[in-house]
Amino acid sequence: MSASSGAMKRVPNMPARNPFLSAEKYATTHFDPAQTDATPYPAPRGEFQVDLRKVRRVPGGPIGLMQLASTLPQYMWVTSSGAVSYVDVSNGGFHLVAQIAVPGAKAVAPEVLDAVLAQRFTEIVQVEKAVTKDLGLDWKRIATNVYMFVDKDNIFYGNTPDGKIHAYGLIDPSKPSSGIKVLRTLDFNEELRRLAAGASASLQRYGAMIVGCNLTYDGKLIVLTNRSVTVIDRSFQGERYTVEFGADEYVSNSMAVDDKNGIYVASDTTMRKIVWTGSKLSTSDADGAWSSPYDFGHEPPSVKFGRGTGSTPTLMGFGDDQDKLVVITDGADRMKIVAFWRDQIPSEFRQQAGTKSRRIAGQLPITCGLSPLPVFIQSEQSVVVYGYGAFVVNNIRSHGAKDKLVDVIAGGPVFDPPAGAERVDWDSQAHQWRSAWTRNDVVSTSMVPCMSSSSRIAFVNGYTKTDGWEITGMDWDTGETVHRTIFGQDNLGNGAYALIQFLENGDLLFNSIGGAARIPLRAQT
């Protein structure tokens, strides 16, 4: 491990707030429109022992990716693949106020889910039985309410695997306990059938499905499918504007949006900027749109989907920052972190050796300090960005299960967990990446990492045979472990593709495979 001599100490510029979202942070998946996974809220240093069955939790899932900000600080929208809830978080609380089942979702009773997760998994057949028989779930469960947002009118937008987007609101906003209702539904199935018919023969098996949704800075709904981007009014009425991807391309992650309505999407072969002009979706250079190929390899045996990037694109550089970039990890078997110029390419810039286009500002192989290097070093997670610093993890182990829901539950207790994390810095003078530090011993199974900018700590969720599940926090500047929240062997400690969050007072909001839990770490130091 080595500390970076160039670590940034000043407070970096942050993404501009989208005025049509419910809040500056936590209104959309990956925390903000730039998808930075950086929270301003503090996180304590120290070691904490937590029994997740004794803390305040709203049961739900699996999966429960991220919990979203209401327009009122007193409340949050708490979502999972089975339900949408409204929760009172005031005065350190976490109290369910209202809840509605996700339309069409298979209901899993909290006591059933808890009983299944309470098992000590030692063999893959146990996990397969738990998922397919005890819970009666399939991989589509992962695709519900994944990439979503809450707008300025306190309406939550989420998708379901049956090709629909639902807008949820309170029955009586002045009395949240009156319940939640579906205000309107956007049925995208006709569009999905058309898109599926246009896919290449090799991609026909995937069909077409909604990946997620987001919001332009002028308040329009963006619908991302694995084959296209569409912009439509939030009322679900009026004209639709669509850009389709190539017949041999597939998208499995969400999008970033900038304050000039650039929409950044990475398929399994190509990084794109598509521009919403206010009257059309443009792929024209004249409107600032572009596309660039990047390196991709093979689909690994565990956790990650497909041959391309596992990352939702993350924006880097805001305000008067010199370099404006969009960042992903590529799909090479041993991944690289890749930065693309997000606006005009500097006139003096020359294409870098080994890159697939001049649009790529720089790329760096990620090793995570592993030696010897394994066959795969890849991430299924978005790159965490703060200033010109970035944090990535290795999620790949040598064995996995074909069913990703089985795979993500088995990772750790049954399959030996992966290891490896790395922090890098972008040098805006030399236009290149530099490694700040590596950790070859830190485990990140499948949960999206995050960082606390006020505490300068990066966090992952992992598993070890000795201590079980935990949240591990590393100093942003040195890589030293400075935080451990240890959950033990209980499977509620598995975050399963979800995000790690902290609340304004420093409480951990842990999005367990069994539902969201609020953990007051301060009282346990």
Side-chain angles (χ1 to χ4, degrees):
M1 178 194 313
S2 63
S4 168
S5 60
M8 294 184 62
K9 298 300 184 183
R10 74 175 181 88
V11 177
N13 292 323
M14 301 305 289
R17 175 174 178 171
N18 185 332
F20 287 89
L21 288 172
S22 61
E24 184 173 3
K25 288 288 183 179
Y26 295 168
T28 186
T29 307
H30 292 300
F31 296 4
D32 51 48
Q35 312 287 274
T36 63
D37 293 323
T39 176
Y41 304 135
R45 298 185 177 221
E47 185 171 303
F48 311 89
Q49 299 283 340
V50 174
D51 183 344
L52 283 168
R53 296 182 185 272
K54 295 181 179 179
V55 299
R56 287 161 292 190
R57 178 166 60 97
V58 175
I63 303 291
L65 200 81
M66 177 181 159
Q67 315 320 326
L68 301 174
S70 164
T71 53
L72 300 174
Q74 180 181 350
Y75 300 100
M76 290 189 79
W77 290 91
V78 169
T79 72
S80 72
S81 53
V84 174
S85 307
Y86 205 61
V87 174
D88 187 337
V89 297
S90 63
N91 301 316
F94 204 61
H95 306 295
L96 181 64
V97 175
Q99 188 174 75
I100 184 173
V102 170
K106 175 181 172 56
V108 179
E111 59 271 19
V112 172
L113 180 60
D114 279 6
V116 170
L117 295 179
Q119 300 177 61
R120 183 74 180 267
F121 295 125
T122 58
E123 298 179 349
I124 190 62
V125 292
Q126 288 179 278
V127 184
E128 291 172 339
K129 177 180 180 294
V131 170
T132 60
K133 293 184 179 180
D134 298 341
L135 299 179
L137 305 175
D138 61 26
W139 70 269
K140 289 184 177 180
R141 188 75 171 193
I142 301 175
T144 303
N145 290 338
V146 174
Y147 302 117
M148 51 201 170
F149 68 88
V150 177
D151 74 7
K152 67 180 183 62
D153 300 315
N154 207 26
I155 297 172
F156 166 73
Y157 296 76
N159 72 295
T160 47
D162 61 352
K164 297 175 182 177
I165 292 174
H166 303 284
Y168 302 83
L170 298 174
I171 294 173
D172 181 356
S174 66
K175 187 181 179 184
S177 60
S178 61
I180 300 167
K181 64 180 178 179
V182 175
L183 302 175
R184 54 188 176 273
T185 296
L186 177 63
D187 190 332
F188 225 65
N189 276 286
E190 183 177 344
E191 180 78 353
L192 293 176
R193 284 190 288 270
R194 185 184 65 78
L195 291 167
S200 66
S202 63
L203 292 182
Q204 286 291 335
R205 65 190 177 101
Y206 292 113
M209 62 183 294
I210 294 171
V211 175
C213 50
N214 213 318
L215 199 62
T216 66
Y217 274 69
D218 59 355
K220 300 296 185 183
L221 173 69
I222 312 169
V223 180
L224 177 65
T225 78
N226 56 356
R227 305 271 297 110
S228 67
V229 170
T230 293
V231 168
I232 187 174
D233 194 84
R234 293 201 317 286
S235 67
F236 301 163
Q237 302 298 313
E239 189 170 356
R240 299 183 186 185
Y241 305 86
T242 299
V243 167
E244 296 182 28
F245 308 133
D248 60 347
E249 292 181 72
Y250 182 89
V251 174
S252 60
N253 300 288
S254 193
M255 70 202 104
V257 183
D258 71 24
D259 58 355
K260 295 181 177 61
N261 289 330
I263 302 167
Y264 300 84
V265 178
S267 76
D268 56 350
T269 65
T270 306
M271 179 71 220
R272 280 187 175 80
K273 177 183 180 180
I274 301 166
V275 178
W276 168 245
T277 68
S279 60
K280 64 177 181 179
L281 267 181
S282 176
T283 58
S284 171
D285 292 348
D287 293 314
W290 51 263
S291 66
S292 170
Y294 66 86
D295 291 333
F296 60 89
H298 304 89
E299 182 166 3
S302 61
V303 180
K304 184 173 172 286
F305 294 83
R307 62 180 178 174
T309 179
S311 301
T312 290
T314 304
L315 306 188
M316 173 181 277
F318 307 99
D320 61 358
D321 290 341
Q322 177 175 317
D323 289 349
K324 307 292 199 303
L325 308 167
V326 56
V327 178
I328 60 170
T329 52
D330 68 14
D333 291 354
R334 293 171 182 159
M335 67 184 176
K336 300 179 290 297
I337 187 168
V338 185
F340 302 82
W341 299 110
R342 87 174 181 253
D343 299 324
Q344 186 174 352
I345 301 172
S347 58
E348 72 281 3
F349 180 76
R350 295 185 177 182
Q351 184 171 344
Q352 302 293 296
T355 62
K356 285 198 167 179
S357 85
R358 186 168 170 261
R359 175 61 61 179
I360 295 176
Q363 58 187 30
L364 177 73
I366 296 297
T367 70
C368 298
L370 297 169
S371 181
L373 293 175
V375 174
F376 288 100
I377 300 176
Q378 285 191 10
S379 177
E380 178 57 23
Q381 314 308 340
S382 182
V383 179
V384 179
V385 165
Y386 179 61
Y388 282 128
F391 176 74
V392 296
V393 294
N394 172 44
N395 292 135
I396 307 305
R397 38 189 158 73
S398 59
H399 296 86
K402 184 176 181 180
D403 185 312
K404 295 298 183 183
L405 191 51
V406 171
D407 188 66
V408 79
I409 294 176
V414 177
F415 297 127
D416 288 340
E422 187 161 352
R423 245 269 293 127
V424 298
D425 287 312
W426 175 258
D427 186 329
S428 58
Q429 301 302 315
H431 299 319
Q432 64 182 25
W433 293 106
R434 303 183 191 279
S435 182
W437 49 261
T438 61
R439 289 288 301 268
N440 60 17
D441 59 331
V442 169
V443 174
S444 177
T445 50
S446 67
M447 203 172 193
V448 181
C450 79
M451 73 88 65
S452 163
S453 58
S454 57
S455 300
R456 299 186 72 85
I457 306 174
F459 294 92
V460 299
N461 172 226
Y463 178 93
T464 62
K465 298 295 185 184
T466 301
D467 295 321
W469 294 101
E470 71 171 76
I471 296 291
T472 308
M474 291 151 280
D475 185 279
W476 185 254
D477 300 310
T478 68
E480 176 189 1
T481 296
V482 294
H483 174 110
R484 294 183 72 200
T485 296
I486 301 171
F487 301 126
Q489 300 294 337
D490 193 320
N491 288 296
L492 287 176
N494 184 351
Y497 292 122
L499 285 98
I500 303 165
Q501 297 175 253
F502 286 87
L503 300 178
E504 192 169 1
N505 70 341
D507 285 0
L508 170 64
L509 178 53
F510 181 66
N511 296 312
S512 162
I513 198 168
R518 181 170 187 165
I519 303 168
L521 300 176
R522 301 174 316 286
Q524 301 176 40
T525 54

